[in-house]
Amino acid sequence: MNVAPVPSSVNVKDQVSAAEWQTRVDLAACYRLVALHGWDDLIFTHISAKVPGTEDFLINPFGLMFHEITASSLVKVDQAGNKLMDSPYEINPAGYTIHSAVHEVRHDVACVLHTHTASGVAVSAQKQGVLPISQQSLFVLSSLAFHAYEGVALNHEEKARLQTDLGDNNFLMLHNHGLLTCGGTIADTFLMMFTFQRACDIQVMAQTGGAELIAIEPQILAGAKAMIAGVTKSAQGMGGALAWPALLRKLDKQDPGYKL
């Protein structure tokens, strides 16, 4: 089935505020960076971002690969999932359930990122979850929650349980399903997922070796939040603003079409 082309960047840019357009550009960049790092799952999984000053959010057009997504093609919806601008695309219904659940209750969150990577799903299927065996795991364990698998997220009654499980944490492991991060900026949310994914990659590789693993001492885990603040130079967030400009420079050289 052929789908009509999305509106041009000029048309969309003219219809939205400068703040929304910048959010669209950053979110499209995030999609392209996820694809660049190999964390995408064909057209499945999703990233959302709040439209500044509103309760509405932007999410991917269902049917596009992550490397195809542009600032103009992102779909704007309200909390009920209604499209607020013309688009030939619908949104992933499971994506709506998950993302609207977080945005509904976490007013400190500007972005939600969900993946189905092999290492992420592998660790999510392990009863012990993330093991304290790497420096990366410290960042994750400082704000990690878990949510039991209930099937494909199409049941809106699951939203309340997901909200309760997430609480005020920024990392969520969806058992048998994958990883989720949420943060105050798109940059922070991406950096959180980079760290989450790396922790899972390291864990799976370490387990494959078959040797006895060295756990990080509990007192070091207890001081993880203070260490994070020292590393990122920020009392809140992951310090994504430090890495984001460099990530965009890399993206601009390899895949600059996200700005359209």
Side-chain angles (χ1 to χ4, degrees):
M1 172 177 161
N2 292 324
V3 179
V6 298
S8 72
S9 59
V10 175
N11 289 339
V12 174
K13 190 173 183 179
D14 287 347
Q15 294 178 53
V16 303
S17 68
E20 178 178 332
W21 182 251
Q22 185 59 54
T23 298
R24 284 174 170 272
V25 170
D26 285 336
L27 183 57
C30 191
Y31 274 102
R32 300 283 183 116
L33 286 166
V34 166
L36 190 63
H37 283 81
W39 304 337
D40 50 346
D41 185 18
L42 298 181
I43 62 169
F44 306 101
T45 78
H46 10 81
I47 317 169
S48 64
K50 275 279 188 74
V51 176
T54 77
E55 294 302 308
D56 308 324
F57 60 90
L58 302 164
I59 196 164
N60 52 309
F62 199 23
L64 292 186
M65 302 281 278
F66 280 21
H67 73 272
E68 297 179 299
I69 291 173
T70 64
S72 298
S73 67
L74 291 162
V75 181
K76 180 162 62 172
V77 297
D78 61 19
Q79 280 289 341
N82 301 307
K83 288 193 289 185
L84 300 178
M85 291 179 66
D86 289 338
S87 172
Y89 294 96
E90 298 302 322
I91 63 171
N92 184 323
Y96 164 73
T97 300
I98 294 170
H99 290 259
S100 64
V102 179
H103 288 303
E104 185 177 278
V105 297
R106 287 289 300 274
H107 302 296
D108 60 316
V109 163
C111 179
V112 180
L113 200 171
H114 172 50
T115 63
H116 296 160
T117 62
S119 292
V121 176
V123 175
S124 79
Q126 298 177 11
K127 284 188 176 181
Q128 70 269 40
V130 177
L131 298 173
I133 60 171
S134 67
Q135 182 165 272
Q136 288 81 359
S137 71
L138 289 181
F139 289 78
V140 176
L141 290 167
S142 70
S143 187
L144 177 62
F146 297 89
H147 178 65
Y149 187 63
E150 299 187 26
V152 177
L154 301 176
N155 180 5
H156 288 189
E157 292 180 1
E158 184 180 356
K159 289 171 64 171
R161 293 183 288 274
L162 191 151
Q163 291 165 343
T164 298
D165 289 340
L166 176 63
D168 61 358
N169 297 290
N170 292 324
F171 296 87
L172 181 66
M173 181 159 275
L174 300 140
H175 284 308
N176 311 102
H177 185 174
L179 311 179
L180 183 146
T181 57
C182 56
T185 66
I186 293 170
D188 270 350
T189 306
F190 177 84
L191 187 54
M192 287 175 191
M193 185 56 74
F194 181 91
T195 307
F196 207 176
Q197 179 63 37
R198 185 58 58 89
C200 291
D201 288 340
I202 291 168
Q203 180 166 323
V204 170
M205 291 179 70
Q207 291 169 324
T208 301
E212 184 176 356
L213 303 179
I214 301 170
I216 294 171
E217 295 294 333
Q219 64 268 25
I220 297 176
L221 286 172
K225 288 187 177 181
M227 284 190 289
I228 293 168
V231 170
T232 63
K233 307 297 183 185
S234 173
Q236 296 181 334
M238 287 285 290
L242 293 170
W244 193 246
L247 288 164
L248 293 185
R249 288 195 298 273
K250 180 177 182 179
L251 191 59
D252 284 342
K253 289 181 179 179
Q254 298 187 30
D255 191 13
Y258 67 94
K259 298 177 181 178
L260 299 176

